[in-house]
Amino acid sequence: MPAGVSFSRYIRFVVTSMVTMLAGAQIVHTYYKPLEHLDKEIEEEFQRRKNASGLQ
């Protein structure tokens, strides 16, 4: 294991890091709701690209 750390301590660190990362991602999605308007934004981008390619 890295830097002479025991296997149990290494696994505990990895599990703790993973839980913290997943909890942080869940908090972001709960409070900021980044995917709420995704369908609308994708449709607007398709229309923008369609209009831009039609002008050329």
Side-chain angles (χ1 to χ4, degrees), residues 11-50:
I11 294 298
R12 189 171 58 217
F13 175 77
V14 168
V15 169
T16 303
S17 299
M18 182 67 75
V19 168
T20 303
M21 179 183 64
L22 294 174
Q26 186 61 40
I27 288 171
V28 166
H29 284 280
T30 300
Y31 288 112
Y32 298 113
K33 300 179 189 215
L35 300 177
E36 191 170 287
H37 302 292
L38 184 62
D39 293 334
K40 179 183 165 197
E41 291 177 16
I42 289 173
E43 189 61 37
E44 288 174 357
E45 182 65 21
F46 279 144
Q47 289 300 323
R48 187 185 69 76
R49 289 184 183 205
K50 185 177 178 182

